């Protein structure tokens, strides 16, 4: 495993997967000026080479790419245990709701519609980085046979490890620390996503769906309370 220098740790790596050099260069310059270490890949093949070499902290992934599309790359990287935890921010010219949901369903953590301002892009990147880091490193919680350890970033059910993405991990962490309580979508946005004002309430449903898929047999613990929101319960019907 490659050890990182202190300086490298200070500058989060951002992989920009974008086939238009002018856009990629503009993003890279802005990121460099704001304390990030950008790397550019023009297609899925070169992006995979970058990922094989060193994992970034965030991936900026264009929806429309030559060869493999951004959607198929997001699915591929989410299915790989090595790249699964890396937050993916999709860059898209598509502003339609079904397209946004398709991006989130494919595994993206967020999306940003072109054209966008540098301030908006930086806010989104910082938000996914905040979501990725567990709130309390020493925090460990268990409900029934479901266990979450924030220090080691592990989730197990009946002793078996579960693969949970970064946003779903933070969502589960919050629900497990406030078990049996009903949380509305807006409350979850506030508590889990923080001051990330760009996210829409529909996004919560996508991440809850993805969390249930990751939980497998434990998915029944995440209940939908009609007209109110979601809750995590230990009172699972046998």
């Amino acid at each position: 495993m490659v050890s990182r220098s202190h300086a490298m740790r200070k500058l989060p790596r951002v992989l920009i997967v974008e086939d238009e050099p002018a856009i990629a260069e503009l993003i890279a310059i802005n990121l460099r000026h704001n304390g990030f270490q950008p790397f550019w890949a023009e297609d899925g093949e070169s992006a995979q080479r970058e990922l094989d070499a060193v994992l970034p902290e965030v991936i900026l992934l264009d929806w429309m790419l030559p060869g493999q599309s951004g959607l198929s790359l997001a699915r591929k990287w989410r299915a790989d245990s090595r790249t699964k935890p890396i937050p993916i921010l999709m860059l898209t010219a598509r502003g339609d709701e079904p397209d946004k949901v398709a991006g989130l369903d494919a595994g993206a953590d967020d999306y940003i519609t072109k054209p966008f301002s540098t301030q908006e892009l930086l806010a989104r990147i910082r938000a996914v980085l905040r979501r990725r880091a567990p709130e309390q490193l020493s925090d460990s919680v268990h409900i029934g046979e479901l266990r979450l350890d924030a220090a080691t970033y592990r989730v197990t059910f009946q002793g078996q490890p579960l693969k949970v993405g970064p946003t779903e991990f933070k969502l589960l962490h919050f629900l497990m620390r406030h078990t049996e309580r009903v949380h509305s979508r807006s409350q979850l946005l506030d508590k889990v996503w923080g001051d990330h004002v760009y996210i829409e309430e529909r996004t919560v449903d996508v991440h809850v769906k993805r969390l249930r898929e990751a939980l497998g047999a434990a998915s029944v613990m995440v209940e939908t309370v009609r007209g109110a929101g979601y809750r995590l319960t230990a009172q699972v019907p046998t």
Side-chain angles (χ1 to χ4, degrees):
M1 194 169 169
V2 180
S3 63
R4 291 184 174 189
S5 69
H6 183 63
M8 286 280 280
R9 271 204 304 274
K10 278 187 171 176
L11 296 177
R13 290 174 58 99
V14 180
L15 177 60
I16 305 161
V17 189
E18 166 64 69
D19 63 321
E20 294 184 50
I23 294 175
E25 182 61 24
L26 186 62
I27 292 171
I29 289 168
N30 285 318
L31 289 179
R32 215 171 280 121
H33 285 166
N34 286 278
F36 293 92
Q37 191 180 14
F39 292 81
W40 176 45
E42 61 185 345
D43 55 30
E45 198 175 315
S46 51
Q48 190 61 56
R49 281 198 299 272
E50 289 284 351
L51 290 172
D52 290 343
V54 184
L55 291 177
E57 273 66 48
V58 183
I59 298 171
L60 299 184
L61 179 59
D62 190 33
W63 180 293
M64 301 292 285
L65 289 168
Q68 275 190 291
S69 70
L71 280 183
S72 62
L73 286 170
R75 285 193 193 97
K76 175 184 170 184
W77 294 333
R78 275 290 170 261
D80 185 332
S81 59
R82 185 170 170 267
T83 49
K84 187 182 176 76
I86 304 169
I88 297 173
L89 182 62
M90 290 208 80
L91 309 176
T92 174
R94 300 159 177 259
D96 295 340
E97 186 69 13
D99 290 326
K100 291 174 179 178
V101 172
L104 293 165
D105 276 339
D109 291 274
D110 198 1
Y111 49 79
I112 183 164
T113 308
K114 297 176 184 176
F116 48 81
S117 68
T118 302
Q119 288 74 21
E120 186 181 3
L121 178 64
L122 291 169
R124 302 291 188 100
I125 292 172
R126 287 170 181 145
V128 292
L129 284 173
R130 273 200 306 276
R131 272 182 258 162
R132 189 186 186 203
E135 286 176 355
Q136 296 165 286
L137 291 177
S138 60
D139 195 13
S140 177
V141 61
H142 64 93
I143 310 295
E145 293 186 274
L146 183 64
R147 290 181 175 270
L148 178 148
D149 189 339
T152 57
Y153 201 83
R154 283 190 183 138
V155 180
T156 60
F157 181 63
Q158 296 177 344
Q160 297 301 308
L162 302 175
K163 289 181 181 176
V164 180
T167 304
E168 290 74 46
F169 185 91
K170 193 161 184 187
L171 177 60
L172 179 62
H173 194 186
F174 176 78
L175 290 172
M176 287 182 75
R177 284 189 293 127
H178 303 88
T179 185
E180 306 300 341
R181 289 191 214 165
V182 179
H183 306 278
S184 68
R185 289 170 181 80
S186 60
Q187 285 171 334
L188 288 171
L189 284 177
D190 186 45
K191 300 296 184 185
V192 178
W193 278 260
D195 58 0
H196 189 21
V197 296
Y198 307 100
I199 284 277
E200 296 163 23
E201 290 197 4
R202 172 74 180 87
T203 306
V204 176
D205 300 335
V206 175
H207 284 293
V208 168
K209 175 173 172 267
R210 212 182 300 162
L211 173 60
R212 282 179 173 143
E213 287 168 358
L215 289 175
S219 62
V220 290
M221 295 176 75
V222 181
E223 290 187 336
T224 302
V225 181
R226 287 195 65 175
Y230 298 101
R231 80 168 153 223
L232 190 100
T233 180
Q235 314 300 316
V236 179
T238 54

